[in-house]
Amino acid sequence: MSEQKQQWGTRLGVILAVAGSAVGLGNFLRFPGQAADNGGGAFMIPYFCALIFLGIPIGWAEWTMGRYGGRKGFHSAPAILGVIGKGKIARYLGVIGVLIPLGVSFYYVFIEAWCLSYTIEYVRAMFGGAAVGVEVGAPIAQQTAASGAHFSETIGRSGHGSLFQDGIAPIVWTFLIVFAINIWLVKRGLSGGIETFCRYAMPAMAVCATFVLVRVLTLPDQGDGRSVSNGLGYMWNPDFEKLFEPKAWMAAAGQIFFSLSVGFGVIVNYASYMKKKDDLVLSGLTASATNELFEVGFGGMITLTAAFVFLGLAGMADAIAGGSFGLGFTTLPVVFAHMPLGNFFGALWFFMLFLAAITSSISMYQPTLAFIQEALGLTRGKAIALVATLGLIGSGWCVWFSGGMTALGTIDDWVGTFLIVVLAAVQVICFAWVWGIEPGMKEAHHGAYLRIPRIMRFVLKYVAPAYLLIAIGSFVWNDIGKWIAALGQNVVARNTIFLVIGVTTLLVVFTYLGEKRWRAAGMDVDGEREPDEDRIATKAGRS
Amino acid sequence: MTTLGILFMIGSLTFVWGLAFWCYRKVLTAPPEDHVVRPPDSLGG
C-alpha cells in the first residue's frame, strides 16, 4: 500500500492514536513531582491556564497544518511546513519535526524495554520468582538503595558496554523484542497497525490504572501519619505562595507542553491523513482531554500517594529528587514490596507504563517513515527497512552507552526537551504569522463539530509565540552555555551530539532530494495555491 | 489533607473527568463525517 493511500479508519481511532502518542511515562511519573514541587493543588491554576491557553490552541494549529498539508499530498513536517511557511526556510526548519520523533525513539524504546522487563519480573515474582531486589525487613533507606542498585544493574547504568560484558544482558533481548514489535506495528500501517493497537491499548491502560488507583486509595493506614489522606494532601494541599514565583508558571507550561506532545512532529503527521471534512477541533480537544484524564485523574492520584503511605514525609524528598526514573523505577518498587498483593499491582503498574510507552513510540517511527517515503520515493517496504536501520543504530547507541544514562540523557535534553520548544515556535509562527490566523482558522473549521473561541486567535498570534520565544531566549541566556560546557567534559555526550548532527545532516539531504522530486512532480511545494486549485490544476493537466 | 486540598483535588478531577466525558459523548454521538453538511465559512467566523 502506498503511503499516500493510507488513512485513518475511524474518528475515534485517530483520537486514540494521538492520545496514545501523548500519554507516556511523564503523565504518571513527571507530573506528580512537578505539582508537589510547585504548590500542590495551587499548581493546578497555572497548569490549567497553560492547558487552555497554550497546549490546546497550539495543538489545534498543528492538527490544522497537518490536515492542510495532507490535502496537498504531503505527510511530513518538512514538506508541510514548507507549504505553511511558504518556502525553503520553513521547509528545512521542518526537519526538526522528523528529527525529534526519530531522536526520541532512540532512547524511548530502550525505556519501554525497562517497563516490560519490570513487568516480567513482577509476573515471575507472583509465581514465586525473585522480586526486584527489595528486602522488606530492611530499613527503608537500605531498601531504596537496593532497589536503585537493581535498576542500575538492569539498565547497565554502571558503565558503557556493561550490558554486554558477561554475555548479552536480558534487557538487551527485551529491547530487541520491543523494537521488533514497534516496527511490526508500524509496518502494519496506519489503520491496521497504529490505530488498531491504540484502540485496544488505551482502554487496557485505563483499566490497569483504575485497578492500581483503587488499590492505592484503599491502602490501610501505616501509622505515623502515613495514610492515604495525608498522601493525597502531600500532592494536593495548595501552597499559594508558590504562585508568586515565575518558576511555578514556567513549570506548569513546560509540563503541559511536553505532556501533550505539542511541538513533537507527530500531530502534524497524523493529521495529514485526515480528509478535508474530518473534524479536527473536537478531535484535538478530545485527545488533549484524554491525556489530562491520565495525567491528573490517574498520575495525580496514584504515584505520590502510594509513595507517601509507605515512605512517609521523610522519604518523599528523596523520591521526588530522584526524578521520573528514580520515582518510577527505584521508589515505586519499594512501595510495591510493602503493598498487599504488591507483585500483582507492580506487574499491572509496569505493564500500564509499557503500554503508555509503546503507544508513544510507534507514533515516533511513523513521521520518519512518511518522510522517507515521500522524500526519496521509496516503496513502503524499503522505507520501513531504512527507518528500522536508523532506529536500530540510534537505539543501539543508547543501549551500548548506557553508563550513567549518558547517551539517553543527552538526546533527551537536546532533542526531547530543547528542540521541542524550538519546533513549536517554528510551527506557531508559520501558522499565525506566515500563513495567517484567518486562513488558518477557516481551514480548522472545515467539518468542525466545535467552534474555536475567538480569543484563541489572539492567543495563537501573540501569547503562544511570545511564551515560546521567551522560553527559548531564557534557556539560551541562562543554560545553553552550561549545557555546551557539559558536553566538553564528557566524550560520550559529545559523540552523542555528533550522532544527532549526523542524523540531522541525513534528513537535510533527504529534504533537498525530496524538494527536487516534489517540484518535478508539479506539487505545490511553497504553498502558493489552495488545495482545491491543486486538484483543478491536476485535472486540467490530465485532460 | 486540608479542606482546600480536598477542594482543589475534587475541582481538578471534576474538570478533567467532565471534559473527557463531554468530549467522548460528542465524538460518539456525532454523525459520520461523510454525512455532515455544514458550510465551513459559517463556522469560521
Side-chain angles (χ1 to χ4, degrees), chain A residues 11-12 15-16 41-42 44-45 48 51-52 229-230 232-233 236-238 240 275 277-279 282 285-286 289-290 292-293 296-298 301 441-442 445-446 448-451 454 457, chain B residues 1-13 15-45:
Chain A
R11 182 190 301 133
L12 189 62
I15 290 169
L16 290 178
M44 301 315 289
I45 294 172
F48 284 133
L51 171 70
I52 293 165
S229 169
N230 286 340
L232 288 170
W236 289 99
N237 286 344
F240 293 106
K275 296 189 285 286
K277 288 291 181 186
D278 285 348
D279 161 84
L282 178 60
L285 184 63
T286 309
T290 310
E292 291 313 300
L293 187 60
V296 180
F298 291 119
M301 299 293 288
M441 283 294 161
K442 190 175 172 186
H445 284 104
H446 284 305
Y449 290 117
L450 289 179
R451 184 191 172 92
R454 288 193 73 86
R457 294 160 191 253
Chain B
M1 191 177 194
T2 63
T3 308
L4 271 175
I6 294 171
L7 281 176
F8 269 92
M9 183 181 80
I10 292 176
S12 301
L13 292 177
F15 177 72
V16 295
W17 277 97
L19 181 65
F21 181 78
W22 182 81
C23 286
Y24 276 101
R25 192 170 149 269
K26 267 192 107 60
V27 167
L28 295 173
T29 56
E33 283 95 346
D34 292 347
H35 298 153
V36 176
V37 181
R38 194 179 302 183
D41 292 345
S42 68
L43 282 167

Side-chain angles (χ1 to χ4, degrees), chain A residues 145-311:
Chain A
S147 176
H150 178 80
F151 176 53
S152 291
E153 191 187 331
T154 302
I155 68 162
R157 196 160 54 174
S158 57
H160 302 310
S162 60
L163 294 174
F164 300 86
Q165 268 174 359
D166 303 314
I168 297 175
I171 193 72
V172 178
W173 296 112
T174 313
F175 157 74
L176 288 172
I177 291 167
V178 167
F179 179 78
I181 294 171
N182 272 277
I183 296 298
W184 178 72
L185 285 172
V186 174
K187 185 175 178 296
R188 282 180 60 87
L190 208 60
S191 179
I194 296 173
E195 180 178 344
T196 304
F197 182 72
C198 288
R199 281 175 74 95
Y200 290 103
M202 294 300 287
M205 212 192 310
V207 169
C208 292
T210 306
F211 269 103
V212 178
L213 176 63
V214 170
R215 170 67 280 187
V216 167
L217 294 183
T218 54
L219 284 171
D221 196 329
Q222 301 293 309
D224 302 327
R226 293 180 299 152
S227 64
V228 169
S229 169
N230 286 340
L232 288 170
Y234 183 83
M235 166 76 201
W236 289 99
N237 286 344
D239 175 4
F240 293 106
E241 293 290 315
K242 295 274 188 185
L243 293 185
F244 295 101
E245 296 175 14
K247 175 177 159 274
W249 292 81
M250 291 301 283
Q255 178 61 29
I256 278 294
F257 213 71
F258 299 123
S259 174
L260 290 180
S261 289
V262 170
F264 209 80
V266 170
I267 296 175
V268 164
N269 170 253
Y270 273 13
S272 73
Y273 300 103
M274 298 173 84
K275 296 189 285 286
K276 180 182 177 181
K277 288 291 181 186
D278 285 348
D279 161 84
L280 57 78
V281 181
L282 178 60
S283 299
L285 184 63
T286 309
S288 301
T290 310
N291 180 68
E292 291 313 300
L293 187 60
F294 277 97
E295 183 150 295
V296 180
F298 291 119
M301 299 293 288
I302 294 172
T303 320
L304 293 189
T305 311
F308 188 95
V309 169
F310 292 105
L311 304 182

